[in-house]
Amino acid sequence: MTMDTSVEHILVVDDDPGIRGLVGDFLTLNGYKVATAADAKSMERALSEQMADLVVLDVMLPGEDGLSICRRLSRPGGPALIMLSAMGEETDRIVGLELGADDYLAKPCNPRELLARIRAVLRRRSEHLDEHAALAAACEFAGWRLDLVRHELRSPQGVFVNLTSGEFSLLRAFVERPQRVLTRDQLLEMARGPDSDAFDRAIDVQISRLRRKLENGGEGEELIRTVRNEGYLFNAKVTRS
């Protein structure tokens, strides 16, 4: 049996069978191939049968929770992730985004809004792939090497530096626009897209962590400068290879 790879595949992970059925049926009616899972184990079985393009992931799950699953799935080549949670506090959203989620929705959510978010995330991912195909495979700056296809960063000493999905998106935005002041709003749009409801604080936290990683593996120079009342500037010459 052959699989239709032209249809985008979505996996809905939620322990509520009513939500799984409602969301699954709605997405199927809108042209997606949909699988569902009630917990981490059934999710792994579903992914072993067919890798998903996007996972809609509930935070509150029996056994391994959604945040832990998000941390595992957020890797180069992994599926896009949209978190769903009854916990709608700003800090919960920031944690989800920090762990690599592409978007975050508070429950209960309108299925049409979820559909719009899914389309936006998949569209951004497709656009990024198109951009990367047109660009050189890697960028070099101050001895660092960032592979835009493999999502790998290596220090001047050749050491692999692990980046979250959010940190990679920010660094890519910086290296593609060096020596330019970028506002928080611009960085939010470049890293998450215009439909993101992420918060400025999430950008600040990710920049702080990214800055520490660059400082720890570099020559002590400040690559990401804060421009007071304006935003951030990537202070390095970037070459493509």
Side-chain angles (χ1 to χ4, degrees):
M1 182 179 70
T2 60
M3 293 186 179
D4 183 359
T5 57
S6 66
V7 178
E8 289 169 310
H9 181 218
I10 297 175
L11 176 60
V12 179
V13 185
D14 198 301
D15 63 330
D16 186 325
I19 292 178
R20 291 200 306 273
L22 175 66
V23 173
D25 290 346
F26 184 77
L27 295 178
T28 299
L29 287 173
N30 281 275
Y32 293 102
K33 176 180 174 62
V34 180
T36 64
D39 54 27
K41 289 184 178 180
S42 55
M43 179 199 74
E44 294 293 351
R45 286 196 297 270
L47 290 176
S48 68
E49 295 174 3
Q50 183 179 358
M51 177 53 68
D53 296 295
L54 183 145
V55 176
V56 177
L57 180 62
D58 186 29
V59 171
M60 302 298 291
L61 292 172
E64 185 180 8
D65 64 52
L67 292 176
S68 174
I69 293 172
C70 177
R71 185 183 293 108
R72 288 197 292 108
L73 293 182
S74 179
R75 63 183 185 274
L81 292 163
I82 294 181
M83 305 290 293
L84 297 181
S85 175
M87 301 181 296
E89 296 296 325
E90 177 179 342
T91 53
D92 299 315
R93 291 170 180 254
I94 290 173
V95 169
L97 294 171
E98 277 296 301
L99 291 176
D102 295 276
D103 210 339
Y104 192 113
L105 276 172
K107 295 169 66 176
C109 64
N110 187 308
R112 291 186 178 278
E113 181 180 5
L114 176 59
L115 175 63
R117 300 295 186 97
I118 288 172
R119 286 173 172 168
V121 168
L122 291 175
R123 182 176 64 249
R124 292 200 302 270
R125 174 164 288 209
S126 176
E127 289 172 352
H128 286 325
L129 290 175
D130 291 343
E131 290 173 2
H132 293 163
L135 293 171
C139 293
E140 296 182 358
F141 56 91
W144 292 83
R145 182 177 177 84
L146 178 67
D147 191 312
L148 298 173
V149 177
R150 297 181 178 179
H151 289 207
E152 291 181 352
L153 176 66
R154 293 192 178 276
S155 73
Q157 295 77 32
V159 177
F160 173 76
V161 178
N162 185 49
L163 296 178
T164 66
S165 174
E167 290 166 352
F168 174 81
S169 295
L170 279 174
L171 184 54
R172 182 185 59 221
F174 279 127
V175 299
E176 291 178 351
R177 302 161 185 84
Q179 306 295 338
R180 287 172 51 187
V181 176
L182 301 175
T183 67
R184 288 179 177 82
D185 287 342
Q186 288 175 319
L187 288 168
L188 279 168
E189 183 168 345
M190 293 168 191
R192 298 289 182 185
D195 301 306
S196 173
D197 64 350
F199 294 82
D200 282 0
R201 182 182 162 197
I203 286 290
D204 291 333
V205 171
Q206 289 188 15
I207 287 177
S208 177
R209 293 181 179 179
L210 177 59
R211 181 183 274 154
R212 284 200 298 272
K213 290 181 179 181
L214 293 174
E215 290 174 350
N216 289 339
E219 304 296 328
E221 56 186 311
E222 186 181 32
L223 295 178
I224 301 175
R225 285 177 44 201
T226 300
V227 181
R228 189 170 182 178
N229 298 325
E230 293 189 45
Y232 298 94
L233 179 144
F234 193 66
N235 187 33
K237 181 180 178 181
V238 178
T239 60
R240 299 188 182 279
S241 60

